[in-house]
C-alpha cells in the first residue's frame, strides 16, 4: 500500500542530481503542488523528462507555470522533452550552455517510456528516419524490416516519476479526469519511485475496478494535493 507523505516529505525523498519524470501536457495533468515545493527546495542538477518546458506564465496569471519554475531557477541541467517553443527560457539556457536539451518526437518519447516500464529493450519506429533524430544519443541504430527503415530507440526510465491523479484511493489506485491521463500513465510504470499527487483522496473501493487506470501497485507515495 502506498504511503501518504506531506509535500515537504515528498521533496525530501528527491536528491540533487535525480532524474525525474513529470506527467502532464503543458500544465494539464501536472503535479503542480509537488513541483512548486520542489522549486523552493534549493535542490537541482536534475534531469527532467517531460512532454514540454511548460510556459513562463500560467492561465491564472501565475509566474513560471509548473516545470517552468524548475527551469527558471536553474534546477534543471538536462531536459528531455518533445517541444519547448512556448517557454523561451529553454532556448536561452540551451544556447548559453546552462542546460542540455534533447528533443524526441512525442509519440516516440511516450513509447520509449512505455518500453522502459515494460522492461523492453527498445522501440522500433519509422519516425525520424532520415532526420537528425538518427544522430540522437537515444537512437541505437537503424533496421530495415520488410523493405521499410525503422529507428531503434532506447527505453527510458527515471529515478522518480511525479504524477497527478484526479481520484486516488488509499491503496494508490488512480483515475484520471479527461485528458489529464496523457504521460502520467506510462511514467507511473517507468521510475524507481512514483509519487502521486491526488486532487481528491477517496476510500478503497470508491473507484470501480474497471475505472482504475493506474494500479496502486505502481505508486510508492501519495501526496494529498487537496489538503496540501
Amino acid at each position: 500500500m502506498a504511503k501518504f507523505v506531506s509535500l515537504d516529505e515528498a521533496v525530501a525523498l528527491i536528491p540533487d542530481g535525480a532524474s525525474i519524470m513529470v506527467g502532464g501536457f503543458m500544465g494539464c495533468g501536472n503535479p503542480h503542488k509537488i513541483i512548486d515545493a520542489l522549486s523552493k527546495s534549493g535542490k537541482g542538477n536534475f534531469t527532467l523528462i517531460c512532454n514540454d518546458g511548460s510556459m513562463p506564465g500560467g492561465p491564472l496569471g501565475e509566474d513560471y507555470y509548473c516545470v517552468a519554475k524548475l527551469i527558471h531557477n536553474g534546477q534543471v541541467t538536462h531536459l528531455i522533452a518533445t517541444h519547448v517553443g512556448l517557454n523561451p527560457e529553454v532556448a536561452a539556457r540551451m544556447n548559453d550552455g546552462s542546460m542540455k536539451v534533447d528533443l524526441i518526437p512525442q509519440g516516440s518519447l511516450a513509447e520509449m517510456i512505455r518500453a522502459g516500464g515494460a522492461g523492453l529493450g527498445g522501440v522500433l519506429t519509422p519516425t525520424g528516419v532520415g532526420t537528425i533524430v538518427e544522430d540522437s544519443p537515444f537512437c541505437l541504430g537503424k533496421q530495415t524490416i520488410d523493405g521499410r527503415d525503422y529507428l531503434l530507440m532506447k527505453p527510458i526510465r527515471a529515478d522518480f516519476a511525479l504524477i497527478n491523479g484526479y481520484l486516488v484511493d488509499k491503496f494508490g489506485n488512480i483515475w484520471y479526469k479527461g485528458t489529464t491521463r496523457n504521460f502520467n500513465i506510462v511514467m507511473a510504470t517507468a521510475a524507481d519511485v512514483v509519487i502521486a499527487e491526488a486532487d481528491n483522496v477517496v476510500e478503497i473501493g470508491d473507484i470501480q475496478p474497471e475505472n482504475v487506470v493506474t494500479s496502486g501497485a505502481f505508486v510508492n507515495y501519495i501526496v494529498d494535493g487537496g489538503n496540501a
Side-chain angles (χ1 to χ4, degrees), residues 4 166-171 173 200-204 206-207:
F4 279 84
Y166 185 75
L167 297 179
V168 181
D169 72 19
K170 293 181 178 179
F171 181 75
N173 295 312
N200 301 279
V201 174
V202 298
E203 296 295 328
I204 295 173
D206 284 353
I207 304 174

Side-chain angles (χ1 to χ4, degrees), residues 109-188:
L109 180 62
E111 285 298 291
M112 292 158 69
I113 294 170
R114 184 187 64 80
L120 302 179
V123 173
L124 283 170
T125 174
T127 304
V129 170
T131 74
I132 59 173
V133 176
E134 292 189 12
D135 300 322
S136 164
F138 295 95
C139 180
L140 301 176
K142 188 189 303 185
Q143 295 190 21
T144 303
I145 302 173
D146 294 333
R148 188 177 187 185
D149 289 337
Y150 296 84
L151 300 183
L152 178 60
M153 305 298 289
K154 293 175 62 174
I156 294 178
R157 289 187 58 85
D159 300 323
F160 292 85
L162 307 180
I163 64 173
N164 168 255
Y166 185 75
L167 297 179
V168 181
D169 72 19
K170 293 181 178 179
F171 181 75
N173 295 312
I174 302 175
W175 178 79
Y176 303 95
K177 186 175 183 178
T179 58
T180 61
R181 59 179 59 200
N182 48 62
F183 275 84
N184 284 297
I185 298 173
V186 290
M187 288 181 174

Side-chain angles (χ1 to χ4, degrees), residues 42-169:
K43 298 180 180 181
N45 194 29
F46 297 134
T47 294
L48 181 63
I49 304 163
C50 57
N51 178 69
D52 50 74
S54 195
M55 299 171 285
L60 300 177
E62 306 96 327
D63 289 333
Y64 307 111
Y65 198 45
C66 202
V67 297
K69 296 174 182 177
L70 303 179
I71 293 168
H72 175 72
N73 291 346
Q75 293 170 276
V76 179
T77 52
H78 186 188
L79 174 65
I80 301 168
T82 74
H83 69 91
V84 294
L86 294 180
N87 186 351
E89 282 203 77
V90 173
R93 290 182 177 276
M94 179 175 65
N95 290 335
D96 70 17
S98 62
M99 184 172 71
K100 178 183 178 182
V101 177
D102 280 305
L103 293 178
I104 299 174
Q106 189 174 88
S108 298
L109 180 62
E111 285 298 291
M112 292 158 69
I113 294 170
R114 184 187 64 80
L120 302 179
V123 173
L124 283 170
T125 174
T127 304
V129 170
T131 74
I132 59 173
V133 176
E134 292 189 12
D135 300 322
S136 164
F138 295 95
C139 180
L140 301 176
K142 188 189 303 185
Q143 295 190 21
T144 303
I145 302 173
D146 294 333
R148 188 177 187 185
D149 289 337
Y150 296 84
L151 300 183
L152 178 60
M153 305 298 289
K154 293 175 62 174
I156 294 178
R157 289 187 58 85
D159 300 323
F160 292 85
L162 307 180
I163 64 173
N164 168 255
Y166 185 75
L167 297 179
V168 181
D169 72 19

